[in-house]
Amino acid sequence: MYDVPGATGVLSVAEAFVKRTEIGAAKTGLMIWKDEYPEGLKKFGFGRKIGNGTVYGEAVGILRPAKHIDPVTFSRLGLGRGLAVTGLQLASAYATLANGGKTASPHLVEKTVSINGCETLFRGEPPVQVVSESSAKFVSSLMKDAMMAAAKEFSVDFSGVEIAGMIAEAPIPEKGKYSKTDFN
């Protein structure tokens, strides 16, 4: 595991988040997921279809069975590794945080109308509080800080835009090894 320059010494969770330190993310992942796997991830919509039948071809993603998870895998979950999620699941998880910790049921179709005028409404699942409002607010503030730090680092101007998210780098595989200089 490599870490970013300047991420040395004891860092708070907020500092580790903003600096995008792999070691901080791994330690946080280990603390969070060792007691919450896989139920905690499923609450956010990972490992299941969440489009309520309105998204053709929606996949469930991949969550490994709990019996196959060890401390190293838990640490990798903090880095977004060791599972596979869909774009819709990730967007829904971000929406849940932005919604004060309550799920926001995604759907692409509100209703269908048959040729004879019969309507079928697609209602989303009712919102469920999956994390406390204060936890959601804290994580959202970390995500805002992380994007502002990234904006400075990459000379991006977010003036007038409220933005929250994460930025990550992945080394490009070359001839069976990861590049030390080329990243996505």
Side-chain angles (χ1 to χ4, degrees), residues 24-174:
K27 285 182 175 184
T28 303
L30 186 58
M31 286 187 299
I32 293 171
W33 299 119
K34 67 181 169 82
D35 296 327
E36 293 290 326
Y37 185 88
E39 291 76 20
L41 291 169
K42 288 181 179 177
K43 288 177 186 177
F44 276 94
F46 300 130
R48 64 184 178 90
K49 291 184 179 184
I50 59 172
N52 299 314
T54 68
V55 181
Y56 178 76
E58 181 185 8
V60 297
I62 300 170
L63 289 180
R64 294 173 48 194
K67 64 183 177 184
H68 297 295
I69 302 295
D70 58 22
V72 172
T73 305
F74 287 131
S75 72
R76 297 300 186 256
L77 289 171
L79 297 160
R81 300 176 189 148
L83 73 163
V85 302
T86 67
L88 185 61
Q89 290 169 337
L90 191 57
S92 179
Y94 279 148
T96 296
L97 292 171
N99 197 32
K102 289 184 182 176
T103 57
S105 182
H107 57 283
L108 299 178
V109 177
E110 181 179 12
K111 66 180 175 180
T112 59
V113 181
S114 70
I115 199 164
N116 63 2
C118 291
E119 293 185 0
T120 302
L121 295 174
F122 290 92
R123 301 209 187 273
E125 298 170 5
V128 176
Q129 192 80 41
V130 297
V131 295
S132 71
E133 188 172 348
S134 62
S135 292
K137 191 174 188 175
F138 176 69
V139 173
S140 293
S141 72
L142 293 179
M143 292 170 69
K144 288 177 185 178
D145 293 345
M147 290 307 294
M148 296 314 288
K152 287 179 187 171
E153 183 179 341
F154 296 106
S155 300
V156 177
D157 184 8
F158 287 131
S159 298
V161 177
E162 188 171 334
I163 188 165
M166 284 302 304
I167 185 169
E169 300 159 349
I172 297 173
E174 294 175 340

